[in-house]
Amino acid sequence: MATHPVVEYTSPSSWALIEDKLSPFAKETLVKLIKFLEDEVWPATRIAHAQLPADPEARWKTVIPVVADLKAKAKKLGLWNLFLSKTHYPQWGVPLTNLEYAVMAELLGRGGQIASESVNCSAPDTGNMEVLARYASPEQQKKWLVPLLNGEIRSAFSMTERFVASSDATNIRTSIRQEGNEIVINGHKWYISGAGDPRCALHLVLGKSDPENSDTYRQQSIVIVPANAPGVKVVRPMGVFGYDDAPEGHCEVIYENVRVPVENLVYGWGKGFEIIQGRLGPGRTHHCMRSIGAAQYALDLMLQRVTDPAKKTFGKYLYEHGTVVADIAKSRAEIESARLLVYSAALQIDKAQAKGALKEIGIAKFVVPSMACGVIDRVIQSYGAEGVSQDTPLAAMWAGQRTLRIADGPDAVHIQQIGQRELKRAVALTKRTAEIKKKERALAEKYNVKAHL
């Protein structure tokens, strides 16, 4: 039986663990995706960066030509919206599970944002499409979801605020209030991914609609705000370790007396927190899936570097020096472990949706980006000065992974939540241990064992 080509990019053992859980359609799609990435996307990555103007104004008005061509090809091949599972979104999804997409997302992670965008699977659009598919009205879906699914427009998710600790969503200050048949929005956001893109047509804005509600998790609502609505001001693109990630960017945005129809309210008043939890769960796993791919790609670059005769030092290959071989082994072990963790989270989402996979998602979220940072750091070290230059993707990859330790909830929040969840097991564990001790004492009495118990 022929080995699936994905094994060349992942590992035989991880594939063997999940192969029987993938449908024939998923396996065929995976083959098609690998060929598309090898033939079209990965060769185009450097071209895409070259097509983005250096001019600080022009780069924010540019639709990268080679990426537009890739999207047209991907759509024709049926490699489109792979993240949206038909199981959870029967009307809009594709017949792939989250686990099946996890394998594909790892491959996309090797090509960065360009690879994901080429198959309409890039953030923040993926999360926004899930929100609209799950929570939006039929009218909202027709106006906003369908063009997003078709790749005709792009979007932004507007949550993080400049002057508050936004890792606690209850701190959000943006005001969302109803006046007659309109909703008025006032707020100051920043690091709003996607807001710089010339194709960005809508912002999903989280704000407080009922600040006096005794339930702090019912104070927030989400509203669809057209990107060109009067009062929406994109102040500036924010830097991320010196990168601006144009043309999507991560922007500072001010909403000043922005008025939209009341019909732009998503799902209902006070539903904002519920929506963002539903949105961030799958989104967090998507990031983790791609992070595995980035780490694997970095390790592949390291293997080539340390075995390159042109890079010998003091008469030896780089792998013959110091701890290089140990670094390779550690990286391989960490990638394998993290991959299984992500597979576990994806499988649990398939079984119980994001709400039933909070533990697995949370653990993956604080383990995987840190792992990827560590792997990429070792690879940078093997490249020396070239590793931090613009001539390799390593510096940008590291910056992206380090940012993920903050984005979608900082590590500390996820670690705290997982720790608190574990502590809840203490009462049952203590009770179980006491029962075992009781049986142990009965056995000691039966067999006349006088050892200290």
Side-chain angles (χ1 to χ4, degrees):
M1 185 177 174
T3 304
H4 197 285
V6 75
V7 170
E8 295 180 25
Y9 295 103
T10 57
S11 73
S13 57
S14 61
W15 177 246
L17 193 68
I18 64 167
E19 184 179 7
D20 64 346
K21 293 179 172 58
L22 271 71
S23 69
F25 173 79
K27 291 175 184 175
E28 292 167 13
T29 303
L30 191 53
V31 171
K32 201 188 303 184
L33 178 64
I34 290 170
K35 182 171 174 53
F36 179 63
L37 291 169
E38 290 176 339
D39 294 349
E40 305 283 355
V41 177
W42 294 333
T45 302
R46 290 171 68 90
I47 309 303
H49 288 299
Q51 288 181 334
L52 185 65
D55 180 84
E57 289 190 14
R59 63 196 283 108
W60 298 103
K61 299 174 182 176
T62 300
V63 176
I64 301 173
V66 72
V67 177
D69 290 344
L70 288 172
K71 291 173 79 168
K73 290 175 181 177
K75 199 171 184 181
K76 193 173 180 181
L77 289 168
L79 297 171
W80 200 251
N81 297 330
L82 305 173
F83 71 96
L84 200 64
S85 174
K86 201 173 190 69
T87 303
H88 301 305
Y89 306 99
Q91 184 178 354
W92 311 105
V94 296
L96 293 171
T97 64
N98 279 281
L99 178 62
E100 290 165 342
Y101 177 62
V103 185
M104 298 175 190
E106 177 178 339
L107 299 175
L108 295 173
R110 298 174 66 95
Q113 173 77 5
I114 290 164
S116 294
E117 186 184 344
S118 69
V119 291
N120 213 38
C121 291
S122 59
D125 294 337
T126 47
N128 291 343
M129 285 187 268
E130 290 200 48
V131 165
L132 295 171
R134 185 184 296 275
Y135 301 108
S137 68
E139 293 76 17
Q140 291 170 344
Q141 290 174 337
K142 182 179 179 181
K143 186 172 182 179
W144 303 110
L145 175 59
V146 172
L148 277 170
L149 289 171
N150 291 338
E152 297 162 2
I153 60 173
R154 299 210 62 193
S155 62
F157 187 74
S158 193
M159 174 179 170
T160 305
E161 298 192 357
R162 183 176 180 186
F163 299 109
V164 301
S166 301
S167 57
D168 178 356
T170 64
N171 286 336
I172 296 299
R173 292 178 181 171
T174 292
S175 166
I176 293 177
R177 58 187 175 82
Q178 184 172 354
E179 282 189 9
N181 61 355
E182 290 183 319
I183 296 173
V184 183
I185 302 102
N186 282 282
H188 194 155
K189 306 279 190 177
W190 74 344
Y191 282 97
I192 305 308
S193 298
D197 197 301
R199 299 160 292 179
C200 182
L202 72 149
H203 299 188
L204 291 180
V205 181
L206 176 75
K208 281 197 174 175
S209 53
D210 187 8
E212 304 305 319
N213 195 312
S214 59
D215 184 348
T216 55
Y217 298 105
R218 297 280 295 175
Q219 295 177 352
Q220 305 86 2
S221 297
I222 287 181
V223 177
I224 299 170
V225 175
N228 61 357
V232 177
K233 182 182 180 183
V234 177
V235 179
R236 57 175 174 158
M238 301 303 301
V240 180
F241 291 104
Y243 296 96
D244 65 7
D245 294 337
E248 296 89 1
H250 315 280
C251 299
E252 182 175 359
V253 182
I254 292 175
Y255 302 92
E256 185 174 358
N257 293 320
V258 177
R259 292 179 174 270
V260 298
V262 72
E263 290 78 19
N264 281 28
L265 178 70
V266 179
Y267 195 40
W269 294 106
K271 299 286 190 177
F273 201 86
E274 178 183 345
I275 293 171
I276 62 172
Q277 288 306 304
R279 179 188 188 278
L280 290 175
R284 285 167 179 151
T285 55
H286 295 168
H287 280 314
C288 289
M289 295 163 184
R290 291 188 288 264
S291 295
I292 303 289
Q296 177 65 63
Y297 178 48
L299 179 57
D300 291 352
L301 292 176
M302 184 177 186
L303 294 175
Q304 295 171 72
R305 177 75 171 196
V306 302
T307 57
D308 185 351
K311 300 300 178 182
K312 282 184 176 181
T313 59
F314 306 104
K316 293 182 178 180
Y317 286 97
L318 290 180
Y319 74 82
E320 296 176 307
H321 288 287
T323 62
V324 172
V325 171
D327 286 345
I328 291 169
K330 286 177 188 173
S331 298
R332 165 54 54 218
E334 290 169 3
I335 291 169
E336 292 295 325
S337 302
R339 180 184 289 121
L340 297 182
L341 186 59
V342 174
Y343 284 174
S344 170
L347 186 60
Q348 189 61 20
I349 293 173
D350 286 329
K351 288 186 173 182
Q353 297 198 356
K355 214 168 187 179
L358 294 178
K359 181 185 76 172
E360 291 77 10
I361 293 169
I363 295 173
K365 179 60 176 66
F366 72 77
V367 168
V368 175
S370 289
M371 175 282 298
C373 280
V375 170
I376 295 167
D377 185 71
R378 294 179 196 126
V379 181
I380 288 173
Q381 200 67 19
S382 73
Y383 270 74
E386 189 179 355
V388 297
S389 77
Q390 67 270 44
D391 289 349
T392 76
L394 293 168
M397 287 165 64
W398 184 90
Q401 296 305 315
R402 182 60 185 84
T403 304
L404 282 183
R405 294 188 57 202
I406 300 170
D408 289 352
D411 284 1
V413 170
H414 294 290
I415 290 169
Q416 181 75 5
Q417 288 172 345
I418 296 302
Q420 292 294 341
R421 179 183 286 267
E422 282 298 292
L423 282 170
K424 291 177 182 177
R425 300 172 53 226
V427 173
L429 289 171
T430 302
K431 183 180 178 182
R432 187 195 309 163
T433 301
E435 290 172 353
I436 292 171
K437 281 286 185 185
K438 184 178 178 181
K439 293 173 184 176
E440 186 181 52
R441 286 192 293 271
L443 283 172
E445 188 176 331
K446 177 180 178 181
Y447 292 104
N448 196 30
V449 173
K450 297 181 180 179
H452 177 68
L453 297 175

